[in-house]
Amino acid sequence: MTSQVDQSEAVDGSDGRDEQSGPVPPGGVQPRRAKPVRRLDRVIIRFAGDSGDGMQLTGDRFTSETASFGNDLSTLPNFPAEIRAPAGTLPGVSSFQLHFADHDILTPGDAPNVLVAMNPAALKANLGDLPRGAEVIVNTDEFTKRALAKVGWVVDPLGDGSLEAYHLHRVPLTTLTLEALKDSGLARKDAERAKNMFALGLLSWMYHRPTAGTEAFLRSKFAKRPLVAEANVVAFRAGWNFGETTEDFAVSYEIAPAALPVGRYRNISGNLALSYGLVAAGVRSGLPLFLGSYPITPASDILHELSRHKGFGVRTFQAEDEIAGVGAALGASFGGALGVTTTSGPGVALKSEAIGLAVSLELPLVVVDIQRGGPSTGLPTKTEQADLLQAMFGRNGEAPVPVVAPATPAECFDAALEAVRIAVRYRTPVFLLSDGYLANGSEPWRIPEVEELPVIDPQFAVGPNHVLEDGSEVFWPYKRDPLTLARPWAVPGTAGLEHRIGGIEKQDGTGSISYDPANHDLMVRTRQAKVDGIEVAPLVVDDPDGDARVLVLGWGSTYGPIAAAVRRVRADGGRVAQAHLRNLNPFPANLGAVLKGYDRVIVPEMNLGQLALLLRAKYLVDAQSYNQVRGLPFKAAQLADMLFAAIGTLDGDESDD
Amino acid sequence: MSERFKSLKLVPLAEGPLSTKDFKTDQEVRWCPGCGDYAILAAVQAFMPELGIRRENTVFVSGIGCSSRFPYYMNTYGMHSIHGRAPAIATGLATSRQDLSVWVVTGDGDALSIGGNHLIHALRRNVNLKILLFNNRIYGLTKGQYSPTSELGKITKSTPMGSLDAPFNPLSLAIGAEATFVARTIDSDRQHLTSVLRAAAEHEGTALVEIYQNCNIFNDGAFEVLKEPGSRDEALIRLEHGQPVRFGADRGQGVFRDRATGELHVAPVTPDNEASVLVHDAHATGPSTAFALSRIADADTLHHTPIGVLRSVRRPVYDVLMAEQLATATAEQGPGDLATLLAGTDTWTMADRPTTERSDS
């Protein structure tokens, strides 16, 4: 396949890719006699090492170069909660998986084709995921008796033949890096730390990645320590040269750029996309964005990102706790700002009372929950989608809150805009449920034009909205728009609209305190009706031939693996329909009809069946759960097997008829 | 009229003079008859016109408790929020709206127990908020449990054999939390209460005003010694900036510093020691003397209770600093441009051509 990607803005601004085959050498490196080049349509690489080995950085760089090269890609960072877990141990292993291809892909891949293992722990922790024939690059320098013993290996697996199923590359990464840096002026310990860049250089050679971007990145990252910057660049080039010269690496691989829909692209992670979506919502609504937040994994990146955009009038407030974060956001909303709070599941638990207040005050508020493994502290750095019911019901009283959930990292941008649209139009708190996989995973994103983005009109109240019997005009803070049931948003500073609101039940219309039984019944039902009546896009079903009897329905980050599994099933002749929910409260109006159109509905979730429970309760359908709570996304193969089995069983049912 | 109130310099002025009546709402006041809250409400309603600002730019935020019903009775914007969280909510409001005068009304349970964390952090940040802490040393709305300011051994519904908790001293706590303005007053002394409100309103940053407030149902007479004509002169120390700290009949008692320990103590003033009576300096940079004054009263009898402004110092105000950062960022990088932000620096373009479908993941 030839490239039709127009790299108009290549990172280095100069060398576009050549038509020639073979890796393009970094600056200052003379190309040698080219080795054979093999073309692949996709590759899955996993970098694994100690949490101090810089594996996330290495993965990020490889991803960045891959994105700028024009491949489609999907990533899965996976790291321990500890900043520096004990060196050389299995719990301390940090890894970064990247799937890239010459066509559109949906997941970070089930099993790596290539594993880079910086030490025995990294090898042992990841060996189980490797298919036969995978390439394994190990840093032999770290395979000492002591390091092996730390992970329970009595015999060195590099020497006992136990890795025969794999294509093993024994590379003394540390030694080679130190050798390359012997004149760098760095102490041995500092020089050794550049070994991840040596590995990156080697992989960049193997897969023909552009290199200028990484070199520019290193020089900028270590701008204040030029010796370190230069050492990293030298190690990176040395790794590249090693691939080019050593006999062990006989071939290099080419993966052509992918053909994605027309447009301008960048690579983006879920948390970045979500942050941009919030900034965009501020711009498109004209509301100043106010973020009240308390640091928590995996949501903190949004706080970091938004704190950089003060030029947009974005105010970020790092609160003393989760409750103050949401409280300050709600206070800002009362004042006419776009109040947002960001957190993860444990933080949502703490914010619950304030979210209930927002339900009662009927003020716009966006609550972003980057879900992680639970309960309690759970698995802070791992993914899960087990906060759905907490978002739906985790408050005292009848306190309905709309729920929006993006399906992919890039979609976090649209989901943020959608959450703000609902919050502002309907004067309500809204849950935006992302998760650790979406937050840290990345993929190419078609950059939208600003004019394409929805305009969100806050429609502030400006004058009286009610005439009393005596003919006087007054402002009633709880007199609703008959269409949306939303109440007016009158902000302090607006003369004549002074009013008091609070968490005590309010009289319909006037908003005064009311303990009247009939009024409370009315208000509870009205708040529910307002949320039930929110307009959301209809559910789209992907059923190419229209004759599938099995529907697989998901929500959130399971989209990638489910869609990949559906492709596999169809490629092998199976018939299956797929649909994915982006709005979980309210559900799309056509959901009930969609569910009833299939003989079997299967709901894969990274929880114990929370969406399935809602579907069963609301639609009386026999939705069947398929669950996994391993802190990791589903694998496409696993879901495909499950779907095949479901289709097969159904065929069996049919023959029994 | 309001040039005096530097803290309100960004708040629009009222077009004409306002009156007490303008700040009253049509809501029936539902505190118990005889509650000290009535006097505080009347004093605040009467004081507000003095600010000279537009009524609609005034906001009262409260938490939960008897005192927290306060906003319903103020004809301004208001929010009766949830237990303990008013300082946090008001922080978000005041930080995003510098054109508002934001007041927090709270109580000893609301501010010092469930909301203690928000209170101390609001104080250290120095957000432009005025916090009125009604201290009645009891839980009223939940019908009479001991509070974090109740005296040790207090018999209440939840402590039939006496409370085991050592109480907080709210002013010591506030000074320890880096508060820039700390004052105390009494519900029944309208004139003093108004003077303290005025000083708080003038302060740029967070002002904490502790108001001793009588709960005539569950803790009646808690501050009687400070109010009774027969005892108050000996019990109350009225602080005035720049004046010697003297009190009692004929101002015969004075506060002195022990040269050896630095501690403050009360002693009769004599011609010999008159020159060494402590002179109150509310603006002292260091908090030590204010802290010592906050602890000079006897916690049980309340004898030698200082009222007035213990501490009033200048420190950068949180919302001002935040606004400055926004202005600096805009000046240095220009106003945010969404298209530029979304595009970032690493992009590539996909030209028009058919796409291929693959069967793998």
Side-chain angles (χ1 to χ4, degrees):
Chain A
M1 187 183 293
T2 55
S3 161
Q4 294 189 15
V5 175
D6 170 18
Q7 272 201 288
S8 58
E9 292 174 63
V11 190
D12 60 355
S14 57
D15 71 330
R17 277 159 312 93
D18 249 299
E19 281 306 297
Q20 66 153 58
S21 280
V24 180
V29 172
Q30 291 302 313
R32 298 181 177 79
R33 184 177 54 84
K35 292 181 181 178
V37 173
R38 206 169 291 159
R39 290 200 167 192
L40 300 175
D41 61 355
R42 65 193 188 101
V43 176
I44 300 161
I45 292 177
R46 187 183 292 177
F47 296 95
D50 247 348
S51 39
D53 277 345
M55 291 298 97
Q56 301 305 319
L57 174 72
T58 309
D60 277 342
R61 284 319 312 162
F62 198 93
T63 302
S64 194
E65 298 297 17
T66 295
S68 73
F69 182 76
N71 293 124
D72 195 9
L73 64 89
S74 175
T75 67
L76 176 63
N78 188 9
F79 45 88
E82 295 78 15
I83 304 302
R84 293 276 191 279
T89 64
L90 290 172
V93 173
S94 169
S95 71
F96 187 104
Q97 183 163 312
L98 167 71
H99 182 189
F100 59 106
D102 66 358
H103 56 281
D104 68 310
I105 51 172
L106 297 156
T107 75
D110 288 0
N113 307 112
V114 185
L115 172 70
V116 178
M118 302 298 280
N119 65 14
L123 179 63
K124 188 161 192 183
N126 292 288
L127 209 48
D129 293 338
L130 293 182
R132 298 178 69 82
E135 299 208 54
V136 181
I137 299 168
V138 294
N139 180 10
T140 51
D141 290 324
E142 295 292 327
F143 280 67
T144 60
K145 226 176 195 149
R146 192 157 165 266
L148 290 164
K150 261 191 198 175
V151 296
W153 263 328
V154 182
V155 183
D156 187 349
L158 304 184
D160 69 355
S162 62
L163 302 177
E164 265 178 359
Y166 312 109
H167 186 175
L168 188 64
H169 300 275
R170 296 177 178 81
V171 184
L173 282 169
T174 313
T175 308
L176 290 166
T177 303
L178 288 174
E179 175 65 19
L181 298 181
K182 64 178 187 293
D183 300 326
S184 68
L186 288 185
R188 181 190 161 95
K189 205 174 172 202
D190 291 331
E192 212 183 293
R193 296 186 57 170
K195 64 181 183 289
N196 61 333
M197 287 301 113
F198 188 98
L200 180 62
L202 173 56
L203 270 289
S204 295
W205 172 84
M206 276 178 78
Y207 294 101
H208 302 194
R209 299 296 94 182
T211 54
T214 291
E215 296 196 359
F217 167 85
L218 289 170
R219 292 205 164 95
S220 133
K221 180 177 168 71
F222 298 110
K224 287 183 185 152
R225 299 160 70 199
L227 270 187
V228 175
E230 217 39 51
N232 275 285
V233 170
V234 168
F236 177 64
R237 289 180 180 177
W240 195 94
N241 280 335
F242 180 77
E244 178 80 357
T245 50
T246 185
E247 293 299 317
D248 192 18
F249 293 90
V251 286
S252 66
Y253 302 94
E254 187 170 73
I255 297 88
L260 300 171
V262 174
R264 194 156 58 122
Y265 285 78
R266 63 178 287 172
N267 187 50
I268 201 158
S269 71
N271 271 354
L272 188 60
L274 201 155
S275 304
Y276 284 0
L278 292 173
V279 173
V283 171
R284 298 298 276 175
S285 64
L287 299 172
L289 182 61
F290 182 98
L291 174 70
S293 184
Y294 186 77
I296 185 170
T297 302
S300 303
D301 286 340
I302 302 171
L303 168 62
H304 306 161
E305 183 61 33
L306 289 178
S307 69
R308 299 175 57 224
H309 300 300
K310 302 190 196 308
F312 285 89
V314 176
R315 286 178 163 81
T316 53
F317 170 66
Q318 182 176 316
E320 59 270 22
D321 58 30
E322 295 281 0
I323 300 171
V326 66
L330 186 58
S333 285
F334 182 67
L338 174 54
V340 177
T341 189
T342 49
T343 188
S344 187
V348 172
L350 288 164
K351 293 178 197 293
S352 296
E353 190 192 13
I355 297 168
L357 177 64
V359 169
S360 180
L361 297 181
E362 303 193 43
L363 282 171
L365 175 74
V366 175
V367 181
V368 178
D369 176 5
I370 312 296
Q371 299 165 95
R372 67 189 212 187
S376 188
T377 306
L379 304 173
T381 60
K382 312 294 180 191
T383 197
E384 204 163 282
Q385 48 183 182
D387 291 350
L388 175 59
L389 296 183
Q390 180 177 224
M392 287 290 295
F393 304 117
R395 289 163 296 284
N396 61 306
E398 296 286 354
V401 175
V403 180
V404 173
T408 70
E411 218 180 78
C412 290
F413 179 83
D414 308 289
L417 277 158
E418 168 74 349
V420 173
R421 175 190 76 87
I422 293 173
V424 170
R425 177 142 198 244
Y426 295 91
R427 320 299 199 207
T428 177
V430 175
F431 261 106
L432 175 46
L433 289 184
S434 175
D435 65 31
Y437 169 50
L438 295 179
N440 292 318
S442 65
E443 65 175 349
W445 175 49
R446 192 190 65 80
I447 303 162
E449 297 298 329
V450 171
E451 300 70 45
E452 296 172 22
L453 304 176
V455 173
I456 298 165
D457 182 358
Q459 292 189 303
F460 289 124
V462 291
N465 61 352
H466 189 75
V467 182
L468 295 177
E469 281 180 11
D470 66 4
S472 56
E473 292 192 330
V474 293
F475 176 66
W476 276 15
Y478 279 80
K479 182 167 177 175
R480 297 171 188 280
D481 176 330
L483 186 67
T484 60
L485 297 181
R487 76 175 192 90
W489 190 9
V491 301
T494 316
L497 308 192
E498 293 87 348
H499 64 282
R500 277 67 52 192
I501 54 178
I504 298 185
E505 186 60 282
K506 288 153 289 284
Q507 178 68 42
D508 179 38
T510 67
S512 302
I513 292 178
S514 168
Y515 299 111
D516 176 57
N519 178 74
H520 179 54
D521 191 83
L522 172 71
M523 292 296 274
V524 168
R525 290 175 193 278
T526 304
R527 285 187 288 262
Q528 184 67 51
K530 180 178 81 167
V531 172
D532 290 345
I534 291 170
E535 285 176 30
V536 303
L539 183 66
V540 176
V541 180
D542 172 35
D543 184 1
D545 302 320
D547 58 358
R549 297 176 60 197
V550 173
L551 171 73
V552 55
L553 178 70
W555 70 279
S557 74
T558 51
Y559 173 78
I562 293 174
V566 165
R567 280 188 190 178
R568 288 180 186 212
V569 169
R570 288 177 186 162
D572 290 344
R575 290 168 301 166
V576 61
Q578 187 199 354
H580 209 75
L581 286 165
R582 269 83 173 177
N583 293 91
L584 291 131
N585 194 28
F587 285 132
N590 65 335
L591 176 58
V594 167
L595 293 174
K596 287 181 171 62
Y598 292 89
D599 295 334
R600 183 162 294 174
V601 176
I602 296 174
V603 185
E605 293 181 85
M606 295 187 292
N607 58 42
L608 294 185
Q610 300 193 4
L611 173 60
L613 181 76
L614 296 177
L615 297 174
R616 286 167 163 262
K618 188 168 167 73
Y619 299 105
L620 295 175
V621 295
D622 183 18
Q624 292 171 9
S625 273
Y626 182 78
N627 308 117
Q628 166 184 301
V629 278
R630 292 162 37 81
L632 290 166
F634 284 111
K635 293 185 172 178
Q638 155 196 18
L639 291 179
D641 289 348
M642 178 271 294
L643 290 176
F644 262 123
I647 296 167
T649 319
L650 206 59
D651 290 344
D653 291 348
E654 195 172 41
S655 61
D656 289 344
D657 285 345
Chain B
M1 184 154 62
S2 77
E3 296 86 68
R4 230 158 11 104
F5 293 95
K6 269 196 214 153
S7 67
L8 303 174
K9 59 179 179 284
L10 297 177
V11 183
L13 295 176
E15 279 161 19
L18 296 168
S19 69
T20 303
K21 187 165 59 74
D22 291 318
F23 287 91
K24 293 185 173 173
T25 63
D26 60 356
Q27 298 292 298
E28 181 193 358
V29 181
R30 297 189 191 181
W31 287 312
C32 308
C35 176
D37 289 354
Y38 282 95
I40 304 172
L41 176 64
V44 172
Q45 285 170 334
F47 169 69
M48 294 312 287
E50 199 181 310
L51 294 178
I53 57 168
R54 290 190 187 174
R55 192 181 54 171
E56 64 268 24
N57 286 68
T58 310
V59 184
F60 278 80
V61 181
S62 65
I64 292 292
C66 293
S67 61
S68 288
R69 296 296 178 96
F70 200 93
Y72 288 117
Y73 312 133
M74 293 296 297
N75 192 11
T76 63
Y77 282 87
M79 187 197 292
H80 176 214
S81 75
I82 45 177
H83 208 8
R85 317 304 170 198
I89 290 168
T91 293
L93 179 62
T95 302
S96 54
R97 289 288 303 272
Q98 289 186 287
D99 61 335
L100 302 178
S101 170
V102 181
W103 298 72
V104 169
V105 177
T106 182
D108 41 316
D110 194 53
L112 299 170
S113 198
I114 195 166
N117 200 32
H118 308 306
L119 178 73
I120 59 175
H121 288 277
L123 293 173
R124 81 169 162 88
R125 283 191 191 102
N126 206 30
V127 185
N128 198 1
L129 300 174
K130 313 305 158 204
I131 302 175
L132 309 182
L133 194 171
F134 297 12
N135 182 6
N136 55 17
R137 308 187 76 178
I138 199 78
Y139 281 70
L141 198 60
T142 50
K143 302 192 176 174
Q145 300 82 10
Y146 74 105
S147 89
T149 56
S150 296
E151 54 277 22
L152 186 67
K154 190 170 190 71
I155 307 282
T156 71
K157 280 187 184 154
S158 58
T159 52
M161 294 176 70
S163 157
L164 305 174
D165 291 21
F168 265 137
N169 177 324
L171 300 189
S172 300
L173 179 77
I175 294 166
E178 308 292 344
T180 54
F181 183 99
V182 177
R184 178 188 286 141
T185 187
I186 301 177
D187 56 2
S188 55
D189 188 340
R190 174 75 165 266
Q191 195 185 355
H192 190 268
L193 174 54
T194 305
S195 74
V196 169
L197 289 176
R198 185 177 298 122
E202 283 169 352
H203 180 69
E204 296 175 84
T206 308
L208 178 83
V209 178
E210 181 188 23
I211 306 174
Y212 279 163
Q213 172 248 324
N214 190 47
C215 172
N216 57 321
I217 304 296
F218 296 108
N219 201 19
D220 196 23
F223 306 105
E224 207 51 30
V225 67
L226 307 178
K227 298 178 177 183
E228 273 290 316
S231 61
R232 68 186 176 198
D233 289 345
E234 295 302 320
L236 269 185
I237 304 177
R238 292 174 181 269
L239 298 172
E240 283 182 58
H241 175 69
Q243 298 297 317
V245 184
R246 295 178 65 162
F247 64 101
D250 305 324
R251 296 167 57 75
Q253 300 283 314
V255 172
F256 298 87
R257 193 192 302 279
D258 184 312
R259 286 179 188 282
T261 65
E263 299 280 355
L264 300 184
H265 63 272
V266 170
V269 179
T270 65
D272 288 346
N273 68 10
E274 190 169 7
S276 48
V277 172
L278 180 78
V279 175
H280 181 47
D281 179 7
H283 309 319
T285 313
S288 307
T289 305
F291 187 80
L293 275 174
S294 77
R295 308 188 66 77
I296 203 164
D298 183 287
D300 288 331
T301 66
L302 297 183
H303 270 283
H304 309 154
T305 292
I307 61 171
V309 180
L310 278 82
R311 180 164 169 76
S312 174
V313 294
R314 290 178 70 94
R315 207 178 68 218
V317 177
Y318 184 83
D319 36 292
V320 173
L321 293 175
M322 185 179 280
E324 283 173 3
Q325 282 198 345
L326 264 59
T328 304
T330 307
E332 286 176 357
Q333 300 147 31
D337 179 72
L338 187 56
T340 306
L341 174 73
L342 300 187
T345 51
D346 282 354
T347 65
W348 71 97
T349 301
M350 197 60 63
D352 197 5
R353 70 162 202 184
T355 59
T356 49
E357 272 278 328
R358 290 302 176 101
S359 62
D360 54 42
S361 52

